Amino acid sequence: DVRCQSAAELCADLKRLKRDTTSGSREVVASASPHGFSRSWLAAGALLIVVCAGIAFWAMASPGPPRVTSTTQLTRDGIPKFGAVTDGSRLFITERTSNSWVVQASTSGGETSPIPTSFTNVVAADISTDHTQLLISTFFGTDPEAQFWSLPLPSGAPRRLGSLLGHYPSWSPNGRHLLFARGSDLFVANADGSEPRKLITVQQSLACIRESPDGKRIRFTITAPDQTSAAIWEIRSDGTGLHPVLPGWHNPPQEFCGNWTPDGRYYLFRVVGSQFDIWALREPAGLFRWRVPQRFQLTSGPMSFLAETVSPDGKKIFADGTQGRGELVRYDSKSRQFVPYLSGISAGELDYTRDGKWVTYIVYPEGTLWRSRADGSERLQLTDASAIAALPRWSPDGSQLTYASTRRGSPLKVLVVSSQGGSPQELLPSDQGEIDPSWSPDGKKVAFGANPDVHLGIRIVELATHQVTTVPGSEDFFSPRWSPDARYIVALTADSKKIMLFDFTKRQWSVWIDEPGAIGFPNWSGDGKFLYYDTNFDQHSTFRRVRVGETRSELVADLQSLRRYSAWPVFGWSGLAPDGSALFTRDLSSDEIYALDLDLP
């Protein structure tokens, strides 16, 4: 019945109990009376209660919160990053402009140096337990699945891991297995890629697959097809026991990717808000694992941390920290230079009225929709930062704009807003994702693409009746653009490798352009004689145009020297000014690797 409110009280009671027990023991020796035995058992019972209370207090006591004690910038090359892995002394970082490659740097900071490979696009996914092999994936264009390779360190020829295709590969901590996703399936194979077998199938997309240090659990992120939610889930290593790790915390869930610390005591992951912040999940612990998992926020803006890896000693996080900023530029064909446009505002996705007097655009990184006169005067903000706007288009008469928009937890939708401001209205009252609106030249219809993260297809809505039709044969296409003479619609194939042309007079599709590289952002010239577009994910990124009736394009601008701003849902936009010159958004963002020193009690 004794309650100890402090360590001093507990100590005093233990001394008292020791004294009483010693006295009782002497009485037992002197006399074997029933009363002596009773006192001895009473003392032993009291001692047992105190010991049990001490054990319970020790088991339930919680250490202090984990925290970041200091932050150090490690890289300074100014090139966009896409995550990193480490062996403790070196960082292996994926960098990306028009294609992607891997560089290495010291974990104490300094210059980066490229790791040469023969691949056009390569991503560093993991590192072997003995730090002698780098797990890389290689891809082309917008193909969702990649090949996996083992790259010897510090140098050597890469070796293909079986005939596997998939995404988000990782090796198990014991080095025996390779985990990866393909579509909505989670697979495990031997470390060399042999004997793959499916563990589980989920209903949505899989990402960020990691096995626990003790080899008993696998965690991964399940993302909604339209990218509106992400949740961390867990299974046993045999594929059973699927369940969410943080059920009901956010609605919809916004927890994304993660890594265990080497000792397995913490799981570090990201939460999506106005930016990406790093959180720590303290795993259940104690003598009988009585403690429930606890979560702690480690970072809080203004910088977003888009990826992280934990040092082998568990004392640091190496994280990719970014702060977005762009600069609107125009390609000057005479000087062959990219020069600031509209005073170099941090914006993109421009569209002009037919007479060229008004312009609309998206401001970065907020993702808000604006319009102004062509010289930048009479600016008016049409949406706020609570939703991300994308790809606005003027109506032919200049009175309205259509654009795609999304809020966290909601699919992309096409909306219509007055050019004078007001409340935007949904083009269609449905739950299906919509993007890439394009007005018909008479202003009576709008063509749009289904959200490519969910499904594909080109639809046309009659504004007067809201009747929707699907363009025949467009099931595998996206990004529609209506020609100024209303005769054609162009679209891209799902892999972004071809431009397709739909002729309304013939009611059929044909391949217009089939060239190397991933094609993006088709735009008609004002007179409808040319189609402009860019190419990416190739050795040579370019901006090109093709004349109607021809199938061979011509180079307009070489984009190798241009770092292009990239943010969801529009990545690396390009467009046209009224005079036909090419427009881009140069990336002036801060994107570097940082070391975050940890205190993990």
Side-chain angles (χ1 to χ4, degrees):
D1 296 331
V2 176
R3 294 185 182 179
C4 299
Q5 301 297 323
S6 68
E9 292 181 16
L10 178 61
C11 182
D13 284 343
L14 287 173
K15 289 180 179 178
R16 188 183 308 112
L17 183 60
K18 179 181 179 181
R19 183 178 65 250
D20 293 345
T21 304
T22 303
S23 174
S25 299
R26 290 180 183 139
E27 291 179 14
V28 171
V29 173
S31 172
S33 69
H35 295 290
F37 279 112
S38 175
R39 284 192 295 272
S40 178
W41 281 109
L42 180 63
L47 178 62
L48 179 63
I49 291 173
V50 172
V51 170
C52 290
I55 291 174
F57 177 79
W58 170 80
M60 296 300 292
S62 177
R67 60 195 180 98
V68 173
T69 59
S70 64
T71 302
T72 305
Q73 183 176 338
L74 300 181
T75 63
R76 299 181 184 276
D77 61 9
I79 300 175
K81 312 291 189 296
F82 190 62
V85 298
T86 184
D87 63 2
S89 62
R90 294 170 297 173
L91 289 163
F92 302 93
I93 307 161
T94 303
E95 296 189 330
R96 175 185 293 175
T97 52
S98 59
N99 57 317
S100 63
W101 63 93
V102 177
V103 300
Q104 62 180 331
S106 169
T107 54
S108 59
E111 298 293 323
T112 59
S113 60
I115 297 178
T117 70
S118 60
F119 303 115
T120 303
N121 294 286
V122 58
V123 173
D126 202 358
I127 192 168
S128 61
T129 304
D130 61 6
H131 302 155
T132 63
Q133 304 285 327
L134 199 62
L135 176 60
I136 61 174
S137 58
T138 63
F139 65 95
F140 178 80
T142 55
D143 287 343
E145 313 298 1
Q147 297 178 354
F148 306 144
W149 300 74
S150 176
L151 182 66
L153 295 173
S155 63
R159 176 174 54 87
R160 177 82 187 272
L161 298 181
S163 57
L164 303 179
L165 289 173
H167 57 275
Y168 282 102
S170 66
W171 276 315
S172 60
N174 62 16
R176 298 175 184 172
H177 303 111
L178 173 68
L179 299 163
F180 66 97
R182 185 188 303 143
S184 299
D185 298 327
L186 175 60
F187 288 83
V188 62
N190 294 331
D192 61 2
S194 63
E195 300 182 17
R197 61 184 179 90
K198 184 167 68 174
L199 281 179
I200 193 172
T201 299
V202 300
Q203 297 299 314
Q204 298 175 332
S205 301
L206 282 163
C208 305
I209 305 161
R210 295 289 175 183
E211 188 174 78
S212 61
D214 61 9
K216 296 180 179 180
R217 294 167 292 162
I218 300 171
R219 282 184 184 164
F220 47 86
T221 300
I222 296 180
T223 60
D226 55 9
Q227 308 293 311
T228 58
S229 66
I232 298 171
W233 288 68
E234 180 180 282
I235 58 172
R236 301 185 189 95
S237 293
D238 61 3
T240 62
L242 176 67
H243 66 276
V245 174
L246 296 162
W249 183 20
H250 297 105
N251 186 22
Q254 300 295 336
E255 305 90 43
F256 189 78
C257 289
N259 287 290
W260 269 284
T261 55
D263 58 12
R265 294 189 305 118
Y266 286 90
Y267 181 78
L268 309 179
F269 63 99
R270 279 163 279 151
V271 173
V272 184
S274 58
Q275 68 273 327
F276 287 82
D277 289 314
I278 300 176
W279 286 65
L281 182 70
R282 181 183 284 152
E283 299 288 357
L287 185 62
F288 305 104
R289 298 185 68 84
W290 287 340
R291 294 181 192 149
V292 297
Q294 296 175 285
R295 55 183 183 263
F296 304 91
Q297 187 169 356
L298 298 182
T299 66
S300 179
M303 184 177 295
S304 281
F305 289 102
L306 301 183
E308 75 288 321
T309 189
V310 187
S311 63
D313 61 8
K315 295 181 179 180
K316 293 179 183 288
I317 300 173
F318 298 110
D320 176 14
T322 69
Q323 285 183 292
R325 181 174 178 267
E327 179 189 38
L328 185 62
V329 295
R330 177 182 65 86
Y331 180 71
D332 187 326
S333 58
K334 293 182 179 180
S335 65
R336 296 184 181 180
Q337 299 292 318
F338 299 95
V339 297
Y341 189 68
L342 287 182
S343 301
I345 59 174
S346 182
E349 304 167 54
L350 277 67
D351 189 53
Y352 284 85
T353 54
R354 282 184 172 179
D355 58 14
K357 294 181 178 180
W358 293 88
V359 62
T360 183
Y361 50 87
I362 304 297
V363 168
Y364 301 138
E366 295 84 0
T368 51
L369 174 64
W370 293 69
R371 66 95 172 124
S372 72
R373 289 196 174 273
D375 61 4
S377 62
E378 298 185 35
R379 298 174 69 226
L380 177 65
Q381 184 174 346
L382 300 176
T383 65
D384 60 36
S386 64
I388 298 174
L391 299 171
R393 296 285 173 176
W394 285 98
S395 63
D397 63 5
S399 65
Q400 299 179 94
L401 296 115
T402 58
Y403 65 99
S405 178
T406 182
R407 300 175 187 270
R408 289 294 177 191
S410 301
L412 279 160
K413 296 287 294 179
V414 171
L415 277 68
V416 181
V417 66
S418 169
S419 60
Q420 302 306 310
S423 298
Q425 303 296 319
E426 288 189 357
L427 183 67
L428 291 173
S430 72
D431 295 329
Q432 294 184 348
E434 305 153 0
I435 196 171
D436 273 318
S438 179
W439 291 88
S440 64
D442 61 8
K444 296 180 179 180
K445 304 174 184 177
V446 173
F448 61 92
N451 185 350
D453 292 319
V454 183
H455 49 78
L456 299 174
I458 308 302
R459 280 116 170 119
I460 296 176
V461 59
E462 296 268 0
L463 296 179
T465 64
H466 291 282
Q467 181 179 355
V468 181
T469 59
T470 299
V471 179
S474 68
E475 290 78 12
D476 294 323
F477 306 151
F478 73 105
S479 194
R481 300 288 189 271
W482 219 310
S483 66
D485 62 5
R487 180 177 176 180
Y488 304 110
I489 281 182
V490 295
L492 302 179
T493 55
D495 58 11
S496 301
K497 295 179 181 179
K498 298 177 183 178
I499 296 178
M500 305 299 296
L501 183 70
F502 183 77
D503 190 326
F504 279 98
T505 59
K506 299 178 180 178
R507 303 293 297 177
Q508 65 182 25
W509 291 93
S510 60
V511 177
W512 188 0
I513 293 295
D514 183 3
E515 295 176 340
I519 299 169
F521 301 100
N523 280 286
W524 292 96
S525 61
D527 57 12
K529 294 180 179 180
F530 291 91
L531 184 77
Y532 291 79
Y533 60 93
D534 61 44
T535 63
N536 269 300
F537 299 111
D538 195 15
Q539 293 285 11
H540 209 62
S541 179
T542 61
F543 188 76
R544 314 185 71 83
R545 73 175 186 177
V546 59
R547 184 183 293 272
V548 174
E550 298 180 0
T551 56
R552 292 181 62 88
S553 65
E554 59 181 303
L555 177 68
V556 176
D558 187 318
L559 304 182
Q560 284 298 98
S561 63
L562 179 66
R563 275 181 49 196
R564 298 168 66 183
Y565 185 90
S566 185
W568 186 82
V570 175
F571 298 93
W573 166 84
S574 64
L576 291 175
D579 63 0
S581 56
L583 299 177
F584 309 91
T585 305
R586 193 200 316 265
D587 190 2
L588 299 181
S589 303
S590 167
D591 190 343
E592 303 293 352
I593 301 296
Y594 292 79
L596 282 60
D597 291 294
L598 296 175
D599 177 19
L600 299 177

